[in-house]
Amino acid sequence: MAHRTPPDPDELRSPAGSARGLLLSALPSTVLAPLNALTGPAAAVAFASALATVIAVARVRRGERKGPASGGLVGVTIAGILAWSTGSDSGLFLPDLAWYSIAAAALTGSILIRRPLVGVLWALVSQPESARRAAARGRDFTLATAALAAVAVIRFVVTDLLAADHNDVLLITLKVASGFPLTLTAFAVATWAWRRASPANQRGKTWAAHAGTCQ
């Protein structure tokens, strides 16, 4: 029987753990754009599907749930079906366009109603706290949510342009760049907000303040 490494619960609950899972799931769809320009949609989908399968198997063996672990494979499969059914390379980009638009709307909407999504997710896995403390963290969570929303909007715009011109080298480069460096930057901001709100960080601040008053 294959040995599975149990996942770290804290890692799975943190933005850093979520970022790694999201990036791994996004990798197969990210390679679709350059491969489609070089080899055509059939070969691109075949390679991306094989890559998504390897990633899914590796994540399941680590102990991750099958649903999130197979997200990349599902996305590539849907993209391939849409490209085949529409008879156009543009079908490869429709799942990404749908996901980015939903993510941008959800993240932006949560800010407008003053319930930033990063803060909502933090509250779901953290102990209840006073309204005063929750309000104090509001700016951090709003900033992190805004960063994620901005990345979603940028990725939507780049992907939409790429769907109209699949062979544009600049757009392909922007597609890859917006997929990883920008997303990692946004999740770094989310991780910063998450850690500032963590109980351990708050205990450290309280101890430091107490030590200062005793000097």
Side-chain angles (χ1 to χ4, degrees):
M1 180 180 296
H3 173 71
R4 294 184 180 181
T5 303
D8 183 352
D10 292 332
E11 179 183 1
L12 294 178
R13 287 194 303 244
S14 70
S18 300
R20 183 178 62 187
L22 184 61
L23 290 174
L24 287 174
S25 296
L27 181 59
S29 64
T30 300
V31 303
L32 274 177
L35 287 176
N36 179 53
L38 292 173
T39 64
V45 171
F47 181 87
S49 297
L51 177 61
T53 300
V54 171
I55 292 174
V57 171
R59 293 180 66 183
V60 170
R61 287 177 64 87
R62 284 190 71 250
E64 298 184 36
R65 290 177 295 178
K66 293 181 179 179
S70 60
L73 179 59
V74 173
V76 170
T77 301
I78 294 175
I81 293 174
L82 289 174
W84 174 80
S85 61
T86 60
S88 170
D89 295 2
S90 299
L92 293 176
F93 304 101
L94 292 179
D96 280 351
L97 287 172
W99 163 243
Y100 299 149
S101 62
I102 292 172
L107 290 163
T108 303
S110 71
I111 294 174
L112 294 176
I113 63 174
R114 298 184 179 182
R115 293 292 185 275
L117 197 54
V118 173
V120 171
L121 295 176
W122 181 85
L124 290 176
V125 298
S126 303
Q127 296 179 351
E129 61 180 3
S130 68
R132 179 178 297 180
R133 288 186 177 180
R137 308 192 211 289
R139 283 192 226 168
D140 294 345
F141 289 140
T142 298
L143 177 61
T145 304
L148 292 171
V151 169
V153 171
I154 292 172
R155 297 191 72 179
F156 176 87
V157 172
V158 171
T159 303
D160 188 45
L161 294 172
L162 190 59
D165 188 356
H166 326 308
N167 298 314
D168 189 296
V169 176
L170 177 59
L171 290 176
I172 292 174
T173 303
L174 289 175
K175 170 71 172 175
V176 176
S178 65
F180 288 95
L182 275 181
T183 301
L184 284 174
T185 301
F187 267 94
V189 177
T191 301
W192 165 79
W194 195 285
R195 288 179 176 173
R196 274 173 57 90
S198 68
N201 186 62
Q202 296 304 314
R203 285 195 297 268
K205 289 182 178 179
T206 301
W207 181 86
H210 177 69
T213 59
C214 293
Q215 291 180 354

